[in-house]
């Protein structure tokens, strides 16, 4: 170190002593320092986007077997469906059906929505759907709209009625079908 270092040290010490009142026995208060930044957080996955409360729900499914009427004939039918029962009772769903035993054979696809009233044990429901019938034997496919209403008994059985209206038809365009279905909600 050069001769300048001791001089600077003496000046620094005398400056701190000059800032103290004369005859004070108290030690100098330390100067406040800025708080140190917190340690970096552990790298984690981005937070999940919160779902709206009405979206929370459960999957439910059903199956039914019975008869239906089309092309002036009676058919056997089998249907399976799945839906998402949300907390507010609204349930978007889709059903696939097969009508057999006569010609032409029919496959149907029914996307729709139902509303289950919040009544315990016996839950009334109403719903609406669109239907697309895949018709065999070279006949053109058909479209329709419809509705359903009934009662769901617990989580297993449902008793109701289904209404179908075929669009673009000129006779026998409407049908009512009683339904008894068994299903399960997860």
């Amino acid at each position: 170190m050069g001769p300048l270092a001791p001089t600077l040290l003496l000046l620094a010490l005398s400056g701190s002593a000059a800032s103290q009142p004369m005859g004070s026995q108290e030690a100098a208060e330390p100067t406040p320092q800025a708080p140190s930044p917190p340690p970096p957080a552990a790298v984690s996955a981005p937070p999940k986007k919160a779902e709206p409360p009405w979206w929370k729900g459960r999957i439910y499914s059903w199956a039914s077997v019975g008869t239906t009427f089309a092309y002036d004939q009676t058919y056997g039918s089998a249907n399976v469906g799945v839906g998402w029962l949300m907390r507010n009772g609204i349930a978007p769903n889709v059903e696939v059906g097969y009508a057999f035993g006569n010609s032409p054979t029919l496959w149907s696809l029914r996307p729709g929505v139902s509303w289950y009233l919040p009544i315990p044990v016996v839950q009334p429901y109403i719903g609406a759907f669109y239907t697309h019938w895949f018709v065999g034997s070279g006949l053109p496919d058909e479209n329709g709209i419809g509705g359903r209403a009934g009662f769901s008994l617990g989580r297993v059985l449902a008793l109701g009625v289904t209404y179908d209206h075929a669009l673009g038809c000129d006779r026998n365009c409407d049908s009512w079908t009683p339904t008894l279905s068994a299903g399960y909600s997860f």
Side-chain angles (χ1 to χ4, degrees):
M1 286 202 219
L4 192 56
T7 307
L8 289 176
L9 181 60
L10 284 175
L11 282 175
L13 289 174
S14 67
S16 76
S19 69
Q20 300 256 340
M22 289 293 259
S24 173
Q25 299 296 326
E26 297 177 19
E29 292 182 23
T31 59
Q33 294 182 352
S36 61
V43 177
S44 63
K48 289 175 63 175
K49 187 176 178 182
E51 293 178 341
W54 52 265
W55 181 248
K56 293 180 181 179
R58 64 181 185 263
I59 294 174
Y60 71 103
S61 62
W62 70 92
S64 64
V65 177
T67 62
T68 191
F69 185 77
Y71 296 100
D72 294 327
Q73 302 179 69
T74 302
Y75 287 83
S77 68
N79 302 289
V80 294
V82 65
W84 180 255
L85 183 57
M86 295 185 274
R87 280 196 170 175
N88 59 5
I90 294 179
N93 54 63
V94 65
E95 180 180 53
V96 175
Y98 177 62
F100 55 91
N102 271 312
S103 184
T105 57
L106 304 168
W107 284 93
S108 62
L109 179 63
R110 279 191 178 112
V113 64
S114 296
W115 180 51
Y116 289 84
L117 280 72
I119 299 172
V121 183
V122 177
Q123 283 190 302
Y125 67 88
I126 57 172
F129 53 83
Y130 162 82
T131 303
H132 183 81
W133 288 283
F134 300 92
V135 183
S137 300
L139 295 172
D141 291 352
E142 304 229 4
N143 296 304
I145 56 173
R148 59 175 53 109
F151 298 93
S152 176
L153 308 170
R155 291 184 167 190
V156 180
L157 293 175
L159 177 62
V161 63
T162 301
Y163 167 74
D164 277 299
H165 174 75
L167 301 172
C169 81
D170 54 1
R171 64 184 177 94
N172 297 327
C173 300
D174 301 304
S175 70
W176 291 90
T177 308
T179 59
L180 173 63
S181 61
Y184 187 75
S185 63
F186 301 96

